[in-house]
Amino acid sequence: MLTVENVDLFYGASQALRSVSIGATKGAVTCLLGRNGVGKTSLLRAIFGLQPIRSGRIDWDGTDLTTLAPHQRARNGLALVPQGREIFPRLTVLENLQTGFSALPRGERAVPDEIYTLFPVLKSMLTRRGGDLSGGQQQQLAIARALVMKPSLLILDEPTEGIQPSIIKDIATVIRQLAARGDIAILLVEQYFDFARELADSFAIMERGEIVLAGGKDDMIESKLRAHLTV
């Protein structure tokens, strides 16, 4: 289980996170919702050790991650699908997938067959450059690359951004399948309510660097949540 407790994060004198607490459990999808600029990405940077926190604690499966470097967190089972995908456009699809090997022991550095079951389109594109793929295909590649790392905690940062509806449905199906396995926790960062409601087992909403509302799926009352998501 991921446990984030009372995390404060600053950029210089500017406070980006204010006593943020959130959790994610294996076999379930936790959705973090909020408008642009409210601190969602800052929280992900804190979880992955990309930005030091001023106070608080970040724990994964009984291991205190708070002081660990990003590569150590990856070796503890964390994987991130970043906003904007951030694939390598000049590398082939296969080479992009192989960049996920860095967190694995040498004996485990192979692309699992499950990747091509979840994303069959990638198998026919292994020799194509990542930059030649459509936006939706690049997003599928970014998720697949994270799964190559065999994570026990998968965090997706706005995976629907700029993606055509048919691919969004495919991504939702993959997320449901991964959660149903029961061996992986999923933290889904989104600003679109309908996609989050379809997948969430629990949710939290951020405003101005704070969690202002949280609960289970049954607490996702549209009128309440949309008030926090509209500009």
Side-chain angles (χ1 to χ4, degrees):
M1 178 176 180
L2 172 71
T3 305
V4 177
E5 294 182 336
N6 301 318
V7 165
D8 292 318
L9 183 148
F10 287 76
Y11 297 103
S14 176
Q15 187 167 5
L17 299 178
R18 303 172 186 273
S19 194
V20 170
S21 297
I22 193 171
T25 306
K26 289 180 181 178
V29 179
T30 301
C31 285
L32 177 64
L33 296 141
R35 295 186 292 265
N36 285 331
V38 298
K40 304 188 302 295
T41 297
S42 291
L43 177 58
L44 300 193
R45 290 180 62 81
I47 292 172
F48 279 89
L50 299 171
Q51 185 71 26
I53 63 176
R54 179 76 58 88
S55 60
R57 178 184 170 97
I58 301 170
D59 183 280
W60 171 244
D61 266 1
T63 299
D64 184 0
L65 303 179
T66 310
T67 60
L68 295 186
H71 71 276
Q72 293 172 311
R73 300 184 195 210
R75 288 173 182 165
N76 273 277
L78 279 65
L80 172 66
V81 181
Q83 184 179 13
R85 302 177 284 276
E86 295 188 11
I87 59 128
F88 295 97
R90 293 186 177 276
L91 297 184
T92 66
V93 167
L94 179 58
E95 289 167 340
N96 268 279
L97 293 173
Q98 290 171 335
T99 63
F101 290 171
S102 58
L104 298 174
R106 290 191 180 278
E108 298 180 20
R109 293 183 177 182
V111 178
D113 291 338
E114 180 194 29
I115 297 297
Y116 304 123
T117 302
L118 293 171
F119 303 106
V121 69
L122 296 181
K123 191 168 186 178
S124 64
M125 297 182 170
L126 291 177
T127 60
R128 291 182 62 179
R129 287 187 176 184
D132 293 335
L133 274 56
S134 70
Q137 291 165 347
Q138 288 183 7
Q139 186 63 274
Q140 291 175 305
L141 176 57
I143 297 171
R145 177 181 59 188
L147 293 175
V148 166
M149 299 170 63
K150 302 178 182 178
S152 47
L153 172 61
L154 178 66
I155 299 183
L156 302 103
D157 192 359
E158 302 200 15
T160 63
E161 184 180 51
I163 304 300
Q164 58 266 43
S166 61
I167 301 295
I168 289 175
K169 289 181 181 179
D170 292 342
I171 290 172
T173 298
V174 167
I175 292 173
R176 278 194 293 267
Q177 290 175 346
L178 292 172
R181 283 179 8 189
D183 61 352
I184 185 169
I186 298 174
L187 177 58
L188 172 64
V189 178
E190 261 298 337
Q191 57 178 313
Y192 297 112
F193 175 79
D194 293 333
F195 184 74
R197 179 173 59 180
E198 180 183 352
L199 294 169
D201 296 293
S202 60
F203 75 94
I205 291 183
M206 288 193 77
E207 276 188 6
R208 297 180 181 179
E210 299 179 272
I211 302 292
V212 296
L213 192 65
K217 186 180 183 71
D218 294 338
D219 300 316
M220 294 185 76
I221 300 169
E222 184 169 358
S223 59
K224 270 187 178 181
L225 271 65
R226 284 197 184 277
H228 293 283
L229 301 176
T230 55
V231 177

